[in-house]
Amino acid sequence: SSDEYEGDHLVPKLGMKQVLAFEKDNTWMKVLQVVNTRLCKLYNLSSTSAEQASRMVACAVADPLGSDCPLVFVSGEFENLTGYVRDWALGRNCRFLQPNERPINRLLNGEEVDRMRTFCQEPQPPGAEIVVCLVNESRMNFPFWNLLMMEHIEVEGRPYIFGVQTNLTAHLDKLCEIFGMEESGVRELKRLRQELQGVINMAYEGPGVYDVSQMCVSKFVQGIPEFLKPLELPAKEGKRQQALVSVLLHVGPDLQENLTKALLEGVRHFHIYLSASNLPAGNDSMVSLEGRLRAMQLGKVLLDLNKLGLNFFRDGIFFTLVTPPQLVSCFLEMAKAIRSAGYNLDCWILDVAKTPKAQVQKAWKIMLQAKTNQDIAKLGLWGSGKILK
């Protein structure tokens, strides 16, 4: 059935017998007694109880004796990080977290998946552990970086595999450029994994895995080749400017083609422009309808990026919305379309070219209210030569 597949991965719910036994015997509390010291040390939580620590990190338990090594426990942070709720995840093998398309998964995670499979399927003594860096995919079909530590443990004579996930969040706008799926990106991915080797041992020495992994990633991005970075403005006086090249895109029939082409060429910042040229003046109902229609069009285009694999660049993509005064009422619909598709919108610009001052002031008042309501972080003017904070 369709419920047994997540993308290309067959993940049937075969382990509910093991899940019920795990819950009935309150095994999770017994697991915590085994991993208490290491868990608190790993996350630098010396003054925190193991139970409290487990609620603060993404962790899971699998039963290697069950068919297909099913998950028998996931924490609340596991649900938050992955988007998969426990009722769906429990009883299944955790491979549903791997990228949905098998060729992409093999390219990005092949060697790491082989290492995990061997670790989980072959008998291991209690205390045996493995650390892998995976490109995982959330329920929303967006990638995230999973530094995963797994350990074989024993509870009352029964083996389990305890896993704890650390989400790499530093320099995501640079890390996502690895997903170009070319040989150079794959080489950089191997270099990142080499940089992260030993991170657990360093974390045990005091700083904690979050700080250590961030330091490792920061060191890694310094060596990323220029051709793998997003397009930036040309250097000036020997100094590199920290400003992305941006492209203006009109919401119209060519939006999909133009957005896709620009993304493939390395552009990551886009001004989404709404034109009011074809709208009758003073017709609020027509403006409202037009706003909804264009929001639907934009939302579909963004969702279609998933089919092309371009959603893997999400963390490096930024949108700015540009509207004339006549279309400021369309902002919420457009913002919802962008954010519901999982992308960033942090700036709203008012096109004031050839617009009477009174009309600009009225529209600006609406925009200021949106900023006060925290619907948008930044505001600006287009065609005035100024940017208003």
Side-chain angles (χ1 to χ4, degrees), residues 313-332:
F313 293 120
R314 180 191 67 156
D315 289 310
I317 297 174
F318 299 89
F319 290 104
T320 293
L321 184 64
V322 184
T323 61
Q326 304 96 302
L327 291 178
V328 292
S329 61
C330 300
F331 167 75
L332 290 179

Side-chain angles (χ1 to χ4, degrees), residues 18 20 23 41 63 78 87 94 96 99 102 132 136 143 170 182 227 235 243 246-247 276 278 326:
Q18 287 75 23
L20 294 174
E23 294 175 347
K41 201 169 184 180
D63 186 341
F78 175 99
D87 288 344
C94 64
F96 61 78
R102 187 175 287 111
V132 294
N136 280 164
E182 298 177 354
F227 63 83
S246 60
V247 169
N278 298 322
Q326 304 96 302

Side-chain angles (χ1 to χ4, degrees), residues 21-270:
F22 188 89
E23 294 175 347
K24 179 182 177 181
D25 297 335
N26 199 24
T27 311
W28 171 237
M29 297 307 298
K30 300 171 186 176
V31 168
L32 282 179
Q33 293 175 9
V34 176
V35 302
N36 178 14
T37 301
R38 290 189 293 280
L39 183 62
C40 291
K41 201 169 184 180
L42 187 63
Y43 288 92
N44 203 17
L45 301 168
S46 56
S47 61
T48 307
S49 71
E51 186 176 2
Q52 289 174 314
S54 70
R55 289 197 293 264
M56 299 168 64
V57 300
C59 55
V61 180
D63 186 341
L65 298 184
S67 179
D68 206 21
C69 194
L71 293 173
V72 293
F73 172 85
V74 298
S75 68
E77 277 304 306
F78 175 99
E79 294 179 284
N80 294 336
L81 173 62
T82 68
Y84 289 93
V85 298
R86 66 186 306 276
D87 288 344
W88 190 92
L90 293 183
R92 304 178 194 267
N93 184 282
C94 64
R95 74 175 70 90
F96 61 78
L97 292 175
Q98 297 169 23
N100 287 339
E101 295 188 29
R102 187 175 287 111
I104 292 178
N105 183 44
R106 192 66 200 170
L107 182 66
L108 297 177
N109 293 321
E111 293 181 4
E112 300 290 82
V113 169
D114 291 342
R115 291 176 60 213
M116 284 194 305
R117 184 181 296 112
T118 299
F119 181 81
C120 294
Q121 292 181 351
E122 296 184 1
Q124 306 282 345
E129 64 180 23
I130 186 176
V131 178
V132 294
C133 178
L134 297 167
V135 179
N136 280 164
E137 194 167 318
S138 72
R139 193 73 193 262
M140 282 285 292
N141 301 124
F142 287 110
F144 65 93
W145 295 90
N146 181 8
L147 182 63
L148 173 64
M149 184 200 77
M150 295 192 296
E151 179 184 2
H152 277 270
I153 63 173
E154 193 172 274
V155 176
E156 297 180 344
R158 184 178 180 86
Y160 290 98
I161 299 174
F162 175 72
V164 59
Q165 301 166 290
T166 300
N167 184 22
L168 302 182
T169 58
H171 304 288
L172 292 179
D173 57 329
K174 296 181 176 63
L175 289 181
C176 72
E177 297 303 320
I178 291 175
F179 298 140
M181 309 302 175
E182 298 177 354
E183 290 185 8
S184 54
V186 174
R187 285 197 301 269
E188 288 302 295
L189 183 53
K190 289 182 178 180
R191 188 171 68 84
L192 172 62
R193 286 171 171 147
Q194 291 172 354
E195 197 71 53
L196 290 166
Q197 291 298 313
V199 67
I200 300 300
N201 291 333
M202 288 188 287
Y204 280 148
E205 294 174 2
V209 69
Y210 286 124
D211 290 344
V212 172
S213 60
Q214 181 163 321
M215 287 188 294
C216 290
V217 173
S218 296
K219 181 180 178 182
F220 163 78
V221 298
Q222 294 176 8
I224 293 179
E226 290 295 321
F227 63 83
L228 272 181
K229 297 178 182 178
L231 294 176
E232 295 184 341
L233 294 178
K236 188 176 182 180
E237 297 180 359
K239 295 182 179 180
R240 181 174 166 179
Q241 297 191 41
Q242 300 300 313
L244 293 176
V245 170
S246 60
V247 169
L248 178 67
L249 297 175
H250 291 265
V251 180
D254 297 328
L255 177 60
Q256 175 90 60
E257 179 182 352
N258 293 337
L259 176 58
T260 300
K261 181 180 178 181
L263 283 170
L264 292 174
E265 291 178 349
V267 179
R268 299 292 179 260
H269 184 200
F270 300 93

